[in-house]
Amino acid sequence: MTVLESPLQTAATALDGGRRQTARPRRGLVLGLACAAQAMVGLDIAIVNVAVPSIQRDLGISQSSVQWIVVAYGLLLGGFLLVGGRMTDLLGRRRILIAGLGLFTAASLLAGMAQHGGVLITARGFQGLGGALIAPAALSLLAVTFGEGHERNRALGLFGAVGAAAGTVGVVAGGLIAAGPGWRWAFFINVPAGVLLIALAITCLAADGARPRGGRLNVAGAGTVTGGLLTGVYALHHASTHGWFSVSTLAWFIAAGVLMAAFVRMERRSSTPLVPAGALRNRMLAAANLTALLAFGAFFSFIFLGSLLMQQELGYSPAQTGLAWLATTTTEFVTASVAGRLAAVVGVRRLLVAGLMLIAAGMVWLTQVPADADYLTDLLPAFLLAGLGLGLCGPSLQIGALSGVSASESGIASGLIETMREIGPAAGVAAVSTVLVAGSGLAGFHAAFAAIGVLAGLGATIAAIGFRRAG
């Protein structure tokens, strides 16, 4: 995938003897476009969280339905990422990116204009569906634009920095927007950004080539795995409110298991599997996905739990809570920006183990937070450790997931790692919520932070075992 050359670049190519060279401005534009698209998807995972009380009050949404403002987005995003990745490989990265941006932008406008809770929740679902097309297309663009090695690592470092920081920036922005112009602007802000990105993608990315010969979307497999993922993610949310061992929760998990088992059986028999066998045999990709499930589950559970701690136990306002996360966001962004370069020196394996252990250390620190906690001495050290840890992990996971993956399978590899990025938080938050509810007051928070530390430690163990020592 390349971007269109300007007349000046075309002339330079001709003067160079007709050799086609990769110009840095073109690659920089692809990187900027991919990072901006990923940031828009990541921001909307968190930006609405702080504004939920205002939305509930203004639209009269019942207590039993308010969670769907958040859940609808994550459910559709996590459920359709794998299909979005495969569509990227089959239909073209440019087409899928533009389609995803268009759907996301239109849904954001609808959400901002919503006068009824049902309309808003529906719009949030369509936002998630658009994000499921954007995320794998953006990551796949980088995989084919930058050659494997130092250049790709640097690009993925910046991409990972933006993606990792987007969640915590969303918390900050959500608090400021809720306290300022109002919650509708959490959605309206996506409209001009989306229109600009669509215009850039149309004018600056070269048209996709012909569809691969014999390539077609395995509709039965796509429908089955999407149904399985949607059911599984819903089961996790259901468990957090109805209990892990209730009849209804177990029924949802069984249904998800049946659908995923049917998907595996279909894949074995299909001549056009949704997930090519080569991708499944890639050890680095498998290790990256398992580690990502736990790493992102631990980190976003930390954001969820930390926000509750500050507002419910320590008396922080929504705006103060948002600003408190700037320490994590800044540390995360700076660290991830250099992690891609570090990966070539010390290896993906060491960075992942170190990053996850830093997150675990931050959680151990928070198990001692007192009722009269001071931000600088009791919260800030843990916030910095967690930001440093995810900053090391984010780009490393993407580098590992795309190592040794062919251009024709970069979309599905991107879809797999992004799926883990979404399912991990859903699973983590559900598990942590159960621990939190089982306790009481500050003691419940201490136990929940300890549970997050266990998730991070397990992720470090899998990374140490699953990745090659040289990786």
Side-chain angles (χ1 to χ4, degrees), residues 372-410:
D372 58 346
D374 178 75
Y375 177 74
L376 291 179
T377 58
D378 296 310
L379 298 181
L380 182 60
F383 283 22
L384 294 175
L385 285 171
L388 183 62
L390 191 69
L392 293 176
C393 289
S396 302
L397 288 167
Q398 291 167 335
I399 291 168
L402 293 172
S403 296
V405 174
S406 66
S408 62
E409 295 179 352
S410 61

Side-chain angles (χ1 to χ4, degrees), residues 270-313:
S270 176
S271 59
T272 57
L274 185 68
V275 183
L280 295 177
R281 289 193 295 266
N282 187 322
R283 175 178 169 174
M284 291 279 278
L285 178 59
N289 279 289
L290 288 174
T291 306
L293 182 73
L294 292 162
F296 289 112
F299 184 78
F300 282 97
S301 297
F302 157 62
I303 293 179
F304 168 77
L305 199 65
S307 297
L308 288 180
L309 172 71
M310 284 187 280
Q311 293 186 67
Q312 292 183 359
E313 297 292 327

Side-chain angles (χ1 to χ4, degrees), residues 181-354:
W183 62 266
R184 293 184 185 276
W185 284 95
F187 303 111
F188 284 146
I189 197 172
N190 290 324
V191 177
V195 170
L196 176 61
L197 292 178
I198 291 170
L200 287 173
I202 291 173
T203 57
C204 299
L205 297 180
D208 294 308
R211 293 177 59 178
R213 183 175 298 177
R216 62 184 181 85
L217 183 65
N218 182 349
V219 177
T224 305
V225 72
T226 299
L229 289 171
L230 287 171
T231 305
V233 174
Y234 176 76
L236 291 169
H237 286 287
H238 188 84
S240 66
T241 55
H242 292 75
W244 286 87
F245 299 105
S246 68
V247 174
S248 57
T249 297
L250 292 175
W252 281 112
F253 276 120
I254 291 171
V258 170
L259 286 169
M260 294 306 291
F263 168 67
V264 171
R265 186 175 182 181
M266 288 180 183
E267 287 287 279
R268 289 176 177 173
R269 296 182 174 184
S270 176
S271 59
T272 57
L274 185 68
V275 183
L280 295 177
R281 289 193 295 266
N282 187 322
R283 175 178 169 174
M284 291 279 278
L285 178 59
N289 279 289
L290 288 174
T291 306
L293 182 73
L294 292 162
F296 289 112
F299 184 78
F300 282 97
S301 297
F302 157 62
I303 293 179
F304 168 77
L305 199 65
S307 297
L308 288 180
L309 172 71
M310 284 187 280
Q311 293 186 67
Q312 292 183 359
E313 297 292 327
L314 304 182
Y316 283 54
S317 69
Q320 288 173 324
T321 301
L323 291 173
W325 288 111
L326 280 174
T328 302
T329 302
T330 304
T331 305
E332 194 180 335
F333 183 84
V334 173
T335 305
S337 298
V338 300
R341 303 178 189 181
L342 288 174
V345 179
V346 302
V348 166
R349 178 176 174 271
R350 291 189 181 94
L351 288 184
L352 286 173
V353 173

